[in-house]
Amino acid sequence: MEKRYKIGLFFILILVAALVITLMWKRHTVSGFPNEEDIVQEDLNKNRSLSNSGNDAETDSKELSQVQQMNITTTFDTVCIYENIDKKDGSVYVEESKLPAKYVGLKREELEAALAQDSLAPTLEDREKHFQSQHLELFSADKIKVLRIYDTTQELSGFYIMEVDGEICVYEHDKETLYFRTGLNPANLPADVRVEVKNGKFMDTELQVYHFIESYSS
């Protein structure tokens, strides 16, 4: 009886030992390979890392481009393109020319400031064309593009003071219809005013015309 008991106990111990070894082997096997959740998390981490790297590279590229733009200046070889738009009918006229000397060697911000300043004091030719405003549309070392706005609807009214046959005369907006003769001698006008009158000095209203005549009447 005692011998049978010992034999049974021996087999039980062997069975327990086998179970323990089996459990330990399974635990080791499972811990050695990542489960599905670990794989998904690892992929997410990799994607985040790649995304952050891409964003950093894009940011660096933008910053480099901005720095390069800030250092660009115009030169004598820079082409100047004017896109002239008439508000009267929306017509567009494009002309290309050499960059004016006063705009050479300027950065973008400096050129924008110069164009804005010139808008406040347009030339006689621009005033006659009823120039209104201008702004920079394209800027590079090779080419700049300036959008210029005109409004020729005002040409339907107004007057031109002109020198005709040695006398200052006032013509209507068409420069052909005589409004009246002033009797003024062009020689009595300042040199700069006489130049304007030879080209036709535009006046918006009759009141401006009369003020001009009174200013230079003897």
Side-chain angles (χ1 to χ4, degrees):
M1 183 70 178
E2 184 177 353
K3 184 177 181 179
R4 290 180 181 177
Y5 174 77
K6 289 181 179 181
I7 292 173
L9 181 61
F10 175 75
F11 280 109
I12 291 174
L13 291 174
I14 291 176
L15 181 61
V16 171
L19 289 174
V20 171
I21 291 172
T22 301
L23 290 173
M24 291 181 65
W25 178 80
K26 287 186 177 181
R27 181 178 297 177
H28 175 74
T29 302
V30 172
S31 62
F33 295 94
N35 56 32
E36 184 177 353
E37 292 182 357
D38 292 336
I39 293 174
V40 172
Q41 186 62 41
E42 184 176 355
D43 289 341
L44 289 174
N45 291 337
K46 287 182 179 179
N47 290 336
R48 289 172 182 169
S49 178
L50 290 173
S51 177
N52 291 335
S53 298
N55 292 337
D56 292 342
E58 184 178 355
T59 301
D60 293 341
S61 177
K62 289 182 179 179
E63 290 179 352
L64 178 60
S65 177
Q66 290 174 353
V67 171
Q68 291 174 341
Q69 282 288 338
M70 291 175 62
N71 293 329
I72 291 176
T73 59
T74 55
T75 68
F76 285 103
D77 295 326
T78 302
V79 176
C80 183
I81 299 175
Y82 291 107
E83 183 175 332
N84 306 303
I85 300 179
D86 191 342
K87 291 174 65 176
K88 176 182 178 181
D89 54 11
S91 59
V92 179
Y93 170 65
V94 179
E95 55 183 330
E96 182 176 313
S97 65
K98 284 187 175 181
L99 185 68
K102 61 182 178 179
Y103 296 151
V104 174
L106 301 182
K107 297 180 181 179
R108 184 185 187 98
E109 294 79 7
E110 295 171 335
L111 180 57
E112 289 176 339
L115 291 172
Q117 183 64 34
D118 289 345
S119 295
L120 300 177
T123 64
L124 174 61
E125 181 181 0
D126 281 337
R127 290 201 299 269
E128 290 180 346
K129 293 179 179 178
H130 303 287
F131 168 83
Q132 290 193 331
S133 63
Q134 63 182 2
H135 70 269
L136 186 64
E137 261 203 344
L138 175 67
F139 179 85
S140 70
D142 299 325
K143 178 173 61 178
I144 70 166
K145 182 179 179 182
V146 179
L147 180 65
R148 312 189 80 191
I149 306 298
Y150 295 85
D151 188 0
T152 58
T153 54
Q154 299 179 20
E155 290 181 352
L156 299 177
S157 62
F159 305 91
Y160 281 94
I161 298 176
M162 305 171 65
E163 179 181 346
V164 179
D165 298 329
E167 182 182 2
I168 301 300
C169 300
V170 179
Y171 283 79
E172 294 185 9
H173 61 85
D174 57 6
K175 285 189 176 183
E176 296 180 357
T177 305
L178 178 65
Y179 190 63
F180 69 90
R181 298 179 180 274
T182 67
L184 293 177
N185 188 338
N188 295 330
L189 300 177
D192 58 337
V193 177
R194 186 169 183 178
V195 171
E196 292 182 350
V197 168
K198 279 187 176 181
N199 296 324
K201 184 176 179 63
F202 180 78
M203 297 285 181
D204 289 308
T205 64
E206 286 185 347
L207 184 59
Q208 290 179 337
V209 172
Y210 291 131
H211 283 168
F212 176 88
I213 296 173
E214 289 178 358
S215 298
Y216 299 107
S217 296
S218 55

